[in-house]
Amino acid sequence: MKSIRPVQISGVGCYVPERVLTNHDLSKIVDTSDEWILQRTGISERRIVDKGKATSDMAEQVVRRLCTSLRMDPNEIELLIVATVTPDMFFPSTACLLQHKLGIRHTWGFDLSAACCGFVYSLSVGAAFVAAGLHSKVVVVGSDTMSSIIDYEDRATCVIFGDGAGAVLLEPAKRNPENCLIDFHHEVDGSGGVHLNMPAGGSLLPSSCETVKNKLHYVKQEGQAVFKFATRKMEEASRIILQKNQLTPQDIRLMLPHQANARIIRGTAERLGLRDDQFVINLHKYGNTTAATIPLAMQDALDEGRLKQGDLVLLASVGAGFTVGTALLRWAL
Ligand SMILES: CC(C)(COP(=O)(O)OP(=O)(O)OC[C@H]1O[C@@H](n2cnc3c(N)ncnc32)[C@H](O)[C@@H]1OP(=O)(O)O)[C@@H](O)C(=O)NCCC(=O)NCCS
């Protein structure tokens, strides 16, 4: 085993499907309104994949875009980690399907299931391989086709979620070893599983006519319980990782929070005492894309010139499980 080495994010790639589903469109399907959705969630529209397209297709697009932007041959990728709760199928893993679609032979990979914390957890796992000197080019993908597991007759869930994908390349820090991934703080509270889940299709309730009839292959959520946990934990976990590194919220240049609900993000920011220019909200155009929200927010921050070399960045998410994930880094690009 080689010595631990600093790890940087060397590039970001994103993909969202072209098809837009607006709040107005949803108000024609279920008893809701643009006003309610916007006020309660901050979402205006979300993207939905075309029929026949799946998580690996978005992941392929995103990795190709990432490689093009870096002028990198996909064959250079040594490890692919795909964070998703909507794999194309149970097995083979989406990482295997993606490797095949990309036509890259000398890589290995696997899926990681941590719902909305999937990207942050995968980032820490990928970084560990680079830090240990085991790999030098690891691609972490967050890709979710939430529309495949949403009941478009359930107004409490169908207004929230959308489809999308994002990816980053992890490499050993190049120019400045201080501009690297600094730390992670992750937690799991399995008692929260009852509040947000997809009951059927697994080994407990295998697919049957009965499970389909009872709509058990869709996301089930107790919104209030998730909302309260998320607001509390986003703040708590952020404070823990900052304190561990002798930092305060005021030291953060930019917080890239998981995009589930604008009220959760604003509530967290307020509790942490962050100014409006210290956090990113972009869920008005994508909704909650589960494992893709953080790289999508990262890309928007880059496009808007809000991320500069050396900036201290905090990633924070809460998801089904419950999972809680944070990461702290100094931007390297
Ligand atoms: C889902 C969520 C937006 C609901 O907002 P809320 O303010 O908690 O609303 P409630 O669930 O208390 O419902 C309030 C009322 O609005 C209604 N309602 C729910 N969805 C609605 C919709 N889309 N349109 C109109 N009314 C709706 C409810 O039926 C309820 O009506 P009632 O008072 O007559 O019973 C919110 O709880 C939330 O964002 N939770 C967290 C979700 C999340 O982050 N999930 C992913 C985790 S990563």
Side-chain angles (χ1 to χ4, degrees):
M1 177 86 77
K2 293 177 202 155
S3 62
I4 297 286
R5 49 184 182 169
V7 183
Q8 69 171 42
I9 291 178
S10 292
V12 186
C14 282
Y15 172 83
V16 288
E18 279 186 14
R19 200 172 134 214
V20 177
L21 183 67
T22 66
N23 290 351
H24 288 295
D25 296 333
L26 283 168
S27 69
K28 291 174 198 153
I29 309 172
V30 288
D31 182 12
T32 190
S33 65
D34 177 47
E35 195 192 5
W36 192 95
I37 303 171
L38 205 52
Q39 258 183 20
R40 306 307 292 167
T41 70
I43 301 165
S44 289
E45 56 186 46
R46 64 292 288 144
R47 303 298 183 97
I48 306 291
V49 293
D50 286 336
K51 221 177 159 57
K53 293 290 177 192
T55 296
S56 69
D57 296 304
M58 292 196 293
E60 181 193 358
Q61 291 297 326
V62 100
V63 176
R64 288 200 187 282
R65 284 182 184 191
L66 175 71
C67 290
T68 302
S69 74
L70 292 168
R71 295 196 185 92
M72 184 179 107
D73 182 341
N75 280 298
E76 290 178 45
I77 301 169
E78 296 163 27
L79 167 61
L80 275 170
I81 305 178
V82 180
T84 188
V85 286
T86 50
D88 289 24
M89 54 191 82
F90 263 173
F91 66 87
S93 72
T94 306
C96 292
L97 302 173
L98 176 60
Q99 178 266 352
H100 181 61
K101 284 183 177 175
L102 291 168
I104 51 180
R105 273 187 237 124
H106 307 291
T107 190
W108 70 289
F110 54 90
D111 290 4
L112 190 150
S113 171
C116 297
C117 287
F119 180 79
V120 185
Y121 282 19
S122 299
L123 195 70
S124 56
V125 173
F129 278 98
V130 179
L134 299 172
H135 286 301
S136 290
K137 285 195 190 318
V138 174
V139 168
V140 170
V141 182
S143 184
D144 268 306
T145 312
M146 295 307 290
S147 61
S148 66
I149 56 169
I150 291 297
D151 176 4
Y152 284 94
E153 291 181 350
D154 175 9
R155 68 178 181 174
T157 52
C158 73
V159 301
I160 298 172
F161 295 96
D163 301 336
V168 295
L169 172 69
L170 296 176
E171 286 182 307
K174 286 176 178 166
R175 266 179 249 149
N176 181 349
E178 292 195 355
N179 293 338
C180 65
L181 288 156
I182 300 167
D183 203 359
F184 302 100
H185 171 77
H186 302 331
E187 295 176 23
V188 158
D189 178 356
S191 70
V194 292
H195 302 301
L196 179 55
N197 56 38
M198 191 178 94
S203 54
L204 181 64
L205 278 179
S207 306
S208 66
C209 293
E210 203 64 16
T211 60
V212 172
K213 199 178 85 196
N214 292 325
K215 295 186 161 202
L216 298 177
H217 300 269
Y218 290 129
V219 171
K220 305 288 173 194
Q221 173 174 260
E222 290 164 23
Q224 289 276 346
V226 179
F227 187 95
K228 281 185 195 148
F229 184 84
T231 311
R232 179 166 63 82
K233 274 296 179 181
M234 291 273 279
E235 182 210 0
E236 226 176 82
S238 298
R239 284 200 188 279
I240 289 173
I241 193 169
L242 287 168
Q243 274 165 15
K244 236 174 96 189
N245 291 278
Q246 289 89 47
L247 293 162
T248 70
Q250 282 60 54
D251 296 317
I252 302 168
R253 179 63 206 97
L254 206 60
M255 180 178 189
L256 299 175
H258 168 55
Q259 308 282 316
N261 185 316
R263 287 188 294 139
I264 296 176
I265 299 173
R266 289 196 189 285
T268 304
E270 204 171 296
R271 284 159 179 241
L272 290 171
L274 298 181
R275 300 181 310 270
D276 280 2
D277 65 312
Q278 281 179 290
F279 59 93
V280 174
I281 294 189
N282 71 348
L283 87 169
H284 52 281
K285 47 185 182 175
Y286 303 133
N288 181 349
T289 52
T290 304
T293 68
I294 289 181
L296 285 171
M298 208 176 259
Q299 183 70 63
D300 276 359
L302 277 171
D303 293 346
E304 290 162 15
R306 297 179 69 186
L307 263 180
K308 300 261 160 40
Q309 203 175 84
D311 282 352
L312 186 69
V313 181
L314 172 68
L315 315 183
S317 57
V318 168
F322 288 127
T323 50
V324 180
T326 56
L328 200 56
L329 57 110
R330 279 203 188 275
W331 195 248
L333 304 180

